[in-house]
Amino acid sequence: MIIRKALIEDIKQIQAVRNSVTENTLSDPNLVTDEDCKEFLTIRGKGWVCEIDNEIVGFAIVDLKENNIWALFLNPKFEKKGIGKQLHDNMLDWYFEQTKNTLWLGTSPMTRAEYFYRKAGWAEIGTHGKNEIKFEMTHNNWISKKENQSFINP
């Protein structure tokens, strides 16, 4: 398993992963274009992928412009293996090296994603969009969480 920076050449596989999910699905897969992905990877922020045997099985993209998690998705066949946590942690480490601005995201209620973000220490602050839960992570909360993790797992 390799976690690495996402490249423009990865977009087709990123889109395949995004369209493979069974929760937080797009009502229309054409809503997120390859050009959107390219903009978020090269202009607005940065992304990471997880590769297993030369296949991208998960990805994460953060938007510095809107201080938002734009995407964090795994191929359902690769869930519950710690990949999401590794992508998440790499993304938040990088984000908070760039800025101390609070980061936010929205996700559907009653999903594995909701549980994942709660477990990762995100605070629910209200709603967003079409009945999504809005979460946020502050710089101080992220640093505290990282310090507590290293204290528990030296």
Side-chain angles (χ1 to χ4, degrees):
M1 176 171 65
I2 299 167
I3 304 284
R4 63 167 174 78
K5 178 184 170 186
L7 306 171
I8 293 169
E9 304 84 72
D10 297 327
I11 291 174
K12 291 292 183 208
Q13 285 190 68
I14 285 171
Q15 291 281 45
V17 169
R18 177 63 184 96
N19 292 313
S20 74
V21 300
T22 56
E23 292 184 336
N24 291 312
T25 59
L26 291 170
S27 58
D28 176 0
N30 297 317
L31 290 174
V32 177
T33 67
D34 290 356
E35 279 304 310
D36 292 333
C37 290
K38 183 178 177 182
E39 179 179 347
F40 280 91
L41 291 176
T42 61
I43 298 169
R44 296 180 66 122
K46 187 172 179 175
W48 294 261
V49 295
C50 175
E51 249 182 2
I52 297 176
D53 297 328
N54 296 315
E55 176 189 357
I56 292 174
V57 300
F59 72 97
I61 301 172
V62 66
D63 178 5
L64 278 174
K65 184 176 178 184
E66 298 293 328
N67 303 306
N68 170 252
I69 299 291
W70 191 63
L72 174 55
F73 292 98
L74 295 177
N75 178 318
K77 296 176 200 164
F78 293 90
E79 292 175 353
K80 298 183 180 179
K81 298 181 185 307
I83 295 168
K85 182 178 182 340
Q86 287 186 52
L87 288 166
H88 171 271
D89 291 0
N90 281 333
M91 179 170 53
L92 267 65
D93 284 344
W94 180 84
Y95 176 83
F96 286 120
E97 287 170 5
Q98 312 308 306
T99 182
K100 290 185 174 28
N101 292 336
T102 297
L103 187 59
W104 71 275
L105 65 88
T107 195
S108 298
M110 309 296 281
T111 59
R112 293 189 68 233
E114 175 192 358
Y115 175 75
F116 174 87
Y117 290 116
R118 288 186 191 284
K119 187 176 176 185
W122 289 75
E124 180 178 346
I125 61 163
T127 58
H128 172 73
K130 295 181 180 178
N131 300 319
E132 288 188 339
I133 300 170
K134 186 173 185 179
F135 288 100
E136 72 175 19
M137 177 69 72
T138 65
H139 176 265
N140 288 343
N141 286 351
W142 181 246
I143 298 305
S144 294
K145 183 167 176 47
K146 296 292 286 184
E147 288 172 353
N148 289 337
Q149 283 177 340
S150 53
F151 179 73
I152 293 167
N153 301 313

